[in-house]
Amino acid sequence: MVSPVLHGHHSPVNLTPCPVPFVNTPYHFSIRDINIYKKNCGLVTIMEEGLSKGSINNGIGGVESKGRDIEVAKHASGGVCDLLLRVLALVLTLVAAIVLGLDKQTKLVSVQFVDTLPPVHVPATAKWQYASAFVYFVVANVIACAYAASSLLLVKIKGLGTLLSVVDALMVALLFSCNGATTAIGVIGFQGNSHLQWHKVCHVFSKFCNQVAVSIILSLLGSIAFLLLVLLKLHRRT
């Protein structure tokens, strides 16, 4: 085996493999010579080994820390979206119930009792209580509004996520059904039905019918907010 040769400033020196480090010698060695000697002899200081291990550990710890930070950020953003959607559903269903619940209009309607006599003007009133579909609409939106308000408190309790998602889906079905029933009555009010001899009334009670249309739109937006809550929950699980 050939011993490593170090080139100093005075003369080359042949060293046996891994001798005692360069102490008490009359020669001066360069940094390059010392590094070659350490590489050949396999000398690694404790400090160098500790620094290398510390660098690796710091790198792994940094990656894990970044991963945890990303998960925390996703959870926080999802929680904010969940909160905003519940507040939006609360406001929309509340306003929809109020708009239709306060809907009332009185008009003078001409009624012809006898052909030979002039028509008689009779006051007629349109109220949401007169149609069962409108009653169902108001009750359903009140239920959805009450649930949205209570869910703002329940969402903070751990372990209720699945239950809230199920009830959110039920609210979607409830609001879709009441919106469909109310829309059907509204279409008849706007267009009538000649086959059943149902006359249109919205040309007379225009204000009443317009408020019905606005309340349907608001309730539909509220149901979409609940639907987005369900989709957001499904997205988190995937």
Side-chain angles (χ1 to χ4, degrees):
M1 178 177 180
V2 180
S3 300
V5 178
L6 301 182
H7 301 279
H9 293 288
H10 299 283
S11 61
V13 177
N14 292 331
L15 298 176
T16 58
C18 301
V20 178
F22 315 106
V23 293
N24 300 323
T25 61
Y27 302 104
H28 299 282
F29 303 99
S30 66
I31 299 299
R32 178 176 177 274
D33 294 333
I34 295 174
N35 289 334
I36 295 174
Y37 174 73
K38 288 170 63 179
K39 180 179 179 181
N40 292 334
C41 296
L43 298 177
V44 180
T45 63
I46 298 176
M47 180 178 294
E48 290 173 340
E49 184 178 1
L51 289 174
S52 62
K53 290 182 178 180
S55 300
I56 295 174
N57 292 333
N58 290 336
I60 297 174
V63 172
E64 292 178 351
S65 177
K66 288 181 179 180
R68 287 193 297 268
D69 293 341
I70 293 173
E71 291 296 329
V72 171
K74 287 182 178 179
H75 181 74
S77 61
V80 172
C81 292
D82 187 277
L83 181 64
L84 291 177
L85 287 173
R86 293 188 184 280
V87 172
L88 184 63
L90 166 64
V91 174
L92 290 171
T93 52
L94 176 62
V95 176
I98 292 175
V99 169
L100 187 56
L102 298 178
D103 196 4
K104 179 182 177 181
Q105 185 179 10
T106 301
K107 296 280 290 187
L108 292 177
V109 180
S110 299
V111 178
Q112 187 78 36
F113 292 102
V114 182
D115 295 337
T116 58
L117 296 177
V120 178
H121 297 285
V122 179
T125 302
K127 293 183 180 180
W128 63 274
Q129 298 96 326
Y130 294 163
S132 59
F134 295 163
V135 175
Y136 175 45
F137 179 92
V138 173
V139 173
N141 278 271
V142 169
I143 293 174
C145 177
Y147 164 71
S150 61
S151 67
L152 292 175
L153 301 177
L154 296 176
V155 74
K156 299 179 181 179
I157 302 175
K158 295 182 178 180
L160 295 180
T162 303
L163 178 61
L164 289 176
S165 297
V166 172
V167 182
D168 289 340
L170 291 177
M171 291 299 106
V172 174
L174 178 65
L175 292 176
F176 277 175
S177 64
C178 74
N179 290 334
T182 306
T183 302
I185 298 299
V187 170
I188 293 175
F190 273 104
Q191 298 181 355
N193 192 321
S194 59
H195 301 287
L196 299 175
Q197 298 300 316
W198 291 348
H199 303 287
K200 58 183 181 180
V201 296
C202 286
H203 66 291
V204 178
F205 301 100
S206 58
K207 174 180 173 294
F208 179 85
C209 293
N210 290 335
Q211 282 191 225
V212 172
V214 171
S215 63
I216 292 174
I217 294 174
L218 292 172
S219 181
L220 182 61
L221 293 176
S223 62
I224 292 176
F226 280 113
L227 179 60
L228 291 177
L229 285 171
V230 177
L231 297 178
L232 180 62
K233 184 67 175 179
L234 293 176
H235 177 69
R236 290 178 187 172
R237 291 185 176 182
T238 56

